[in-house]
Amino acid sequence: MAAPVPSELDLPNPIGSQILQWADELASHTEQPGMLTRTYLTPAHHGAAARIRDWMEQAGMTVRRDAAGNVIGRYEAERPGAPALMTGSHFDTVRDAGRYDGNLGVLLPIACIAQWHRQGRRFPFALEVVAFAEEEGVRFKATLLGSRAIAGTFDYAVLDNVDESGVTMREAIRLAGFDPQALPAAACPPQQMLAFVEVHIEQGPVLLNEGLPVGVVTAISGASRFLVELEGLAGHAGTVPMEMRRDAAMAAAEIGLYIERRCSGTPGLVGTVGQLQVPNGATNVVPGRAIFSIDIRAGEDALRQAAVQDVLAEIERVCARRGIRPEVRRTHEAASVPCAGWLREQWAQAIARQGLPVRQLPSGAGHDAMAIAAIADVAMLFVRCGNGGISHHPTETMTAQDADIAARVFRDFVEHFHPQASPR
Ligand SMILES: [Zn+2]
């Protein structure tokens, strides 16, 4: 007896392989040969948008672009015009980027919708996939441009920001064939949206270390950032006795170690000193000045604020004891964005139905879902990345198998999706 002909779905990771192949193809749209760099409204960006539009259309979606350059594909509901479950992520990249950050959350839903389209399957709600034109903030030093346009929270002042060659964002939008005046019309009416969900690589090592392909995001962490300048007294490394020193660098070191200790051992809380300088430092000089940055994040605002209070108090204590004058400037403050409980629950059920353990974890990085939270309940699915969880780097990686599992979870989530009785 002849073996049965395998259907497409019997092949190993068919959707996963498709998604990774598309990600490879999309990565060829770059402004720097040999690496992936695709910033807002460059020719590479237009090329990628055109490709995404093709794939959306082939998957049975009607596609439109808005004035921010977002590519929006709509897979119509059983009853045309019904409100949509929105999903998506960004297709711009950092310089010398990985190929899955952002792009995965665009390509994965398209691949799933292509399958439903082939099966002639529709839902009581529409599905909208948004390829957000800008999230990373590379070209114009302003982030989340695409999702803010859709959320109706676009900051029009950034239209005057200029890129490295002096082109304003306003001009770039015009040159791309869009109308900056039409940006307010990009805002999506909240009553047309049931929810927003985003699939994204984790960009960290938690799922990898625990051997899990996917996880449910609890919240997008809030962040507090400071720039601290310490002024002590410079002196001769040979002649100033230890007990008479006012060493700014060692005060910075002591504070840095405290930050590390204070932020260790509390799940979801992280603290980083990413910049640490001794201006005009020399081997034979006791440092008179030190400058360092502080970045503290947590999924829960209360956790972050308590850590910030303790760190600020410790700076005072260390400086008083060492005779140092501190100057602390807050450079950034953002509250956390919680993922909606009812959506998290539906993600968890979709994961459990695949026979997988449900891992919940906060997102330490910012995402488009943060901006969309202004108009709809949001939630996120994280997918494991390999290579120690490295991201924003060409060695960012993920497997076809994980893409396939994530697609199965996404399909299950959508097929079982039931909106809240009264959406916002
Ligand atoms: Zn991203």
Side-chain angles (χ1 to χ4, degrees):
M1 208 173 84
V5 179
S7 84
E8 179 193 13
L9 287 173
D10 294 330
L11 297 169
N13 318 315
I15 299 195
S17 305
Q18 170 77 90
I19 293 164
L20 262 52
Q21 189 206 315
W22 279 349
D24 289 346
E25 197 181 327
L26 215 51
S28 69
H29 296 276
T30 175
E31 48 209 80
Q32 287 171 297
M35 62 173 77
L36 171 55
T37 301
R38 190 164 61 232
T39 64
Y40 190 41
L41 299 180
T42 55
H45 191 266
H46 297 315
R51 210 68 199 92
I52 291 168
R53 174 189 271 268
D54 288 345
W55 290 327
M56 285 175 167
E57 283 172 351
Q58 285 159 21
M61 289 182 256
T62 50
V63 184
R64 64 184 193 273
R65 307 261 334 244
D66 64 19
N70 295 316
V71 186
I72 305 161
R74 181 178 171 97
Y75 187 66
E76 195 49 84
E78 287 159 353
R79 180 177 60 78
L85 169 61
M86 189 182 272
T87 185
S89 193
H90 58 100
F91 70 98
D92 70 318
T93 73
V94 294
R95 289 191 200 290
D96 201 9
R99 50 188 59 179
Y100 308 107
D101 172 12
N103 299 304
L104 174 70
V106 176
L107 301 174
L108 184 146
I110 298 175
C112 293
I113 290 173
Q115 263 198 338
W116 288 315
H117 179 56
R118 283 196 294 273
Q119 297 163 353
R121 181 159 185 189
R122 293 199 183 268
F123 302 96
F125 45 88
L127 282 164
E128 289 202 352
V129 181
V130 186
F132 293 107
E134 211 287 343
E135 188 262 359
E136 301 282 8
V138 174
R139 184 171 173 192
F140 291 104
K141 308 287 171 264
T143 59
L144 297 165
L145 299 176
S147 45
R148 283 191 174 142
I150 285 188
T153 57
F154 193 91
D155 173 11
Y156 297 98
V158 302
L159 287 170
D160 295 320
N161 289 15
V162 288
D163 70 3
E164 277 169 3
S165 47
V167 177
T168 65
M169 190 191 301
R170 192 187 313 277
E171 282 170 62
I173 291 176
R174 276 206 200 101
L175 285 170
F178 302 114
D179 176 9
Q181 305 272 8
L183 275 166
C188 179
Q191 65 276 14
Q192 282 300 309
M193 270 180 83
L194 300 171
F196 176 82
V197 292
E198 181 171 359
V199 179
H200 204 285
I201 55 163
E202 183 202 331
Q203 301 184 282
V206 174
L207 295 172
L208 182 67
N209 288 349
E210 295 182 13
L212 297 171
V214 291
V216 181
V217 176
T218 53
I220 300 168
S221 293
S224 301
R225 292 189 197 130
F226 299 88
L227 194 67
V228 183
E229 213 172 319
L230 302 182
E231 202 181 303
L233 190 64
H236 194 291
T239 61
V240 184
M242 295 306 283
E243 65 278 9
M244 293 183 189
R245 293 186 179 193
R246 292 162 57 196
D247 184 330
M250 290 305 103
E254 200 179 336
I255 293 163
L257 288 172
Y258 174 81
I259 292 168
E260 185 183 52
R261 242 184 357 261
R262 177 62 181 78
C263 297
S264 297
T266 307
L269 176 67
V270 286
T272 306
V273 175
Q275 294 172 310
L276 181 54
Q277 294 156 16
V278 180
N280 307 316
T283 314
N284 56 355
V285 177
V286 177
R289 269 176 84 213
I291 300 172
F292 62 98
S293 62
I294 304 175
D295 178 310
I296 296 178
R297 307 190 197 200
E300 285 170 49
D301 289 337
L303 275 182
R304 183 185 88 253
Q305 284 154 356
V308 165
Q309 285 315 312
D310 288 352
V311 167
L312 295 179
E314 182 70 7
I315 291 173
E316 291 298 326
R317 264 196 302 277
V318 168
C319 290
R321 174 159 45 75
R322 288 175 169 269
I324 304 279
R325 200 177 61 80
E327 202 183 299
V328 181
R329 195 156 57 83
R330 197 184 288 258
T331 53
H332 175 83
E333 182 72 19
S336 69
V337 174
C339 292
W342 66 279
L343 290 169
R344 282 167 59 187
E345 181 53 34
Q346 292 188 39
W347 275 125
Q349 288 167 5
I351 292 169
R353 279 191 294 266
Q354 311 308 309
L356 294 165
V358 178
R359 173 68 156 97
Q360 311 243 5
L361 70 168
S363 170
H367 295 291
D368 293 299
M370 273 161 69
I372 302 298
I375 51 164
D377 283 351
V378 302
M380 293 186 71
L381 181 76
F382 266 174
V383 186
R384 164 170 57 191
C385 40
N387 224 351
I390 203 160
S391 182
H392 281 185
H393 193 270
T395 59
E396 176 188 286
T397 180
M398 66 176 294
T399 64
Q401 195 187 8
D402 282 357
D404 212 65
I405 293 169
R408 257 186 283 148
V409 170
F410 180 81
R411 283 166 51 98
D412 187 288
F413 173 87
V414 172
E415 288 170 2
H416 292 85
F417 177 71
H418 41 96
Q420 249 193 345
S422 52
R424 277 200 259 173

